């Protein structure tokens, strides 16, 4: 029964409701669905009378009820994206906590290991530049960097920061 009602009256009913809702297709489809659901729940209301006028009346009443309900509620406020962008997020706090934890882990390293990591990672120097700045051979910079990273990873794991 419902399928037959939809196939016979669904198109015109949707067009009518689209005009009532100002072209809001999602709302119009919801109204058509609710109208057909009410027709299915109350088959006795359809017997002995033309179906299309009853469907259009129910649909119109649903649109009017939705409009009245919307007016009775306070208006919804939009979210201003610029205001939200200016608020500190949890990412800022997380980054600060992570940087403190990394600083603590770096402080735990031996001075030669810490110096190599500071030169290569924080100052962005190449191995040759770090070797010149520290006054040690390039091969020593490479090996100290390797062992310093292992020690740093272990120190971060102890603090629950590294996987």
């Amino acid at each position: 029964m419902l399928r037959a009602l939809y196939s016979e009256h669904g198109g015109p009913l949707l067009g009518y409701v689209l005009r009532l809702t100002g072209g809001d297709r999602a709302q119009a489809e919801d109204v058509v669905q609710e109208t057909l659901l009410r027709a299915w729940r109350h088959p006795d209301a359809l017997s002995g009378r033309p179906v299309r006028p009853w469907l259009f009346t129910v649909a119109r009443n649903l649109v009017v009820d939705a409009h009245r309900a919307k007016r009775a509620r306070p208006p919804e406020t939009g979210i201003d994206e610029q205001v939200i962008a200016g608020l500190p997020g949890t990412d800022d706090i997380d980054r600060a906590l992570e940087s403190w934890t990394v600083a603590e882990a770096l402080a735990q390293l031996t001075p030669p290991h810490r110096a190599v990591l500071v030169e290569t990672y924080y100052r962005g120097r190449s191995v040759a530049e770090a070797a010149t700045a520290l006054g040690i051979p390039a091969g020593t910079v490479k090996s100290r960097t390797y062992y310093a990273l292992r020690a740093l990873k272990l120190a971060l794991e102890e603090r629950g920061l590294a996987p």
Side-chain angles (χ1 to χ4, degrees), residues 10 19 26 28 33 37 43 47 52 68 82 87 90 97 99 115 119 125 159:
R19 285 189 298 279
Q33 183 178 12
L37 184 63
S47 61
R52 189 169 287 184
R68 286 180 182 158
Q82 292 177 349
L87 296 175
T90 56
L97 290 174
S99 66
E119 292 297 322
R125 293 185 175 165
R159 288 169 174 75

Side-chain angles (χ1 to χ4, degrees), residues 124-146:
R125 293 185 175 165
S126 67
V127 172
E129 293 170 339
T132 304
L134 294 171
I136 57 176
T140 304
V141 170
K142 288 180 185 179
S143 66
R144 280 189 190 168
T145 302
Y146 173 79

Side-chain angles (χ1 to χ4, degrees), residues 73-127:
R73 291 191 307 259
E76 296 176 4
T77 59
I79 298 174
D80 189 1
E81 296 295 328
Q82 292 177 349
V83 171
I84 289 178
L87 296 175
T90 56
D91 289 341
D92 296 335
I93 294 169
D94 289 342
R95 262 189 249 126
L97 290 174
E98 284 179 5
S99 66
W100 287 336
T101 306
V102 170
E104 287 176 353
L106 274 172
Q108 187 180 354
L109 298 178
T110 63
H113 285 165
R114 185 173 42 253
V116 167
L117 289 181
V118 167
E119 292 297 322
T120 55
Y121 283 93
Y122 288 101
R123 293 193 177 138
R125 293 185 175 165
S126 67
V127 172

